[in-house]
């Protein structure tokens, strides 16, 4: 049996009201309808099995039950963990999360935010580091301002470079503390798998690590810095390149955990072991590290908490007169991959 969708016009006809009245009741218009007419329309809609048009409701209310979540790469456990926190807060508020991924392309991020604005999303959480592309940042800032002028809210997890509330992970301090901890263990010859030069998070972590080493009298040699994709495969390729250079480094910092995982795989392919041949450290403390042997030294960020805090900034209370910044601390976790047990 084929079920035909009941129209708003049919509801209005059966309830003996105008189409405008039926729309005001069922699409959530702010214009008032008498209690008698409202009850009649709602009863008729239930009887006929009418399903409200979500787009029409969003237009009538100038908002919707949608929360946009835009991340660089949902396959990366860093982003999926943050997404879990965002989703938890949104669902507790009775809202629906719509996910978009950018593959770290600024134009894709801009297009997703524009689409969510067109659908009258209530709020959007943008998760991902900014880039050195100032023109792209200006275009995104303009789109955020347009979204918020329409009544929506935006929160970011990144650097505080956009006109929106932002949760800022402690990238530079965390990497600085990691370098200090590794130098304190006695490591002296370092290399960094530094990620793309245009990504600010990668740059901040490299800068923090270099400064932490310098504070302990250790210099990071330029030939021991290898840039690559911010992914597992990027870490894998960067580690092979580092080894091909004949590096003397005996401790390698990968600027995120998935790069560190790729680096350790490359080492195994070359017959090397961690930490016996080369110690390895990462950044983020993603959940899947519990399955890695040896256990990876890293910098722990409370990833789900970061997502929760960003979602609350976007959903709770009135819009602030000026964007707020929430800094989230990081903690060094020393594990077997740098020669320190558990």
């Amino acid at each position: 049996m084929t079920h035909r969708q009941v129209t708003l016009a049919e509801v209005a006809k059966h309830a003996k009201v105008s189409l405008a009245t039926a729309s005001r009741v069922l699409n959530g218009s702010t214009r008032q309808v008498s209690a008698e007419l409202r009850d009649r329309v709602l009863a008729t809609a239930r009887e006929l099995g009418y399903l409200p048009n979500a787009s029409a409701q969003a237009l009538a209310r100038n908002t919707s039950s949608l929360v946009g979540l835009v991340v660089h790469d949902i396959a990366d456990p860093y982003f999926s963990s943050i997404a879990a926190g965002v989703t938890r807060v949104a669902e507790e508020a009775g809202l629906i999360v719509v996910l978009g991924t950018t593959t770290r392309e600024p134009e894709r991020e801009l297009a997703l935010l524009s689409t969510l604005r067109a659908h009258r999303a209530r709020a959007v959480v943008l998760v991902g580091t900014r880039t050195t592309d100032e023109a792209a940042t200006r275009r995104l800032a303009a789109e955020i301002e347009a979204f918020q002028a329409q009544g929506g809210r935006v929160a970011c997890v990144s650097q505080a470079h956009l006109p929106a509330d932002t949760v800022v992970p402690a990238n530079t301090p965390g990497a600085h503390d990691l370098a200090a901890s590794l130098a304190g263990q006695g490591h002296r010859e370092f290399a960094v798998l530094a990620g793309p030069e245009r990504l600010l998070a990668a740059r901040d972590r490299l800068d923090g690590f270099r400064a932490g080493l310098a504070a302990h009298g250790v210099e990071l040699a330029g030939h021991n810095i290898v840039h690559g994709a911010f992914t597992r495969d990027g870490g894998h390729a960067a580690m092979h390149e580092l080894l091909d250079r004949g590096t003397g480094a005996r401790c390698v910092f990968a600027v995120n955990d998935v790069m560190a995982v790729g680096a350790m795989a490359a080492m195994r392919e070359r017959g090397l072991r961690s930490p016996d041949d080369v110690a390895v450290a990462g950044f983020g403390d993603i959940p899947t590290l519990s399955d890695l042997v040896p256990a990876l030294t890293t910098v722990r960020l409370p990833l789900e908490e970061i997502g929760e805090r960003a979602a609350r900034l976007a959903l709770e209370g009135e819009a602030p007169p000026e964007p707020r910044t929430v800094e989230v601390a990081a903690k060094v976790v020393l594990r077997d991959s740098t020669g320190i047990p558990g």
Side-chain angles (χ1 to χ4, degrees), residues 318-337:
E318 296 295 324
E322 296 293 334
R324 297 167 290 184
T325 299
V326 176
E327 296 182 355
V328 178
K331 178 183 179 182
V332 174
V333 181
L334 297 174
R335 297 192 180 111
D336 293 352
S337 68

Side-chain angles (χ1 to χ4, degrees), residues 274-285:
S274 179
D276 298 347
D277 298 305
V278 181
V280 179
F283 198 106
D285 202 26

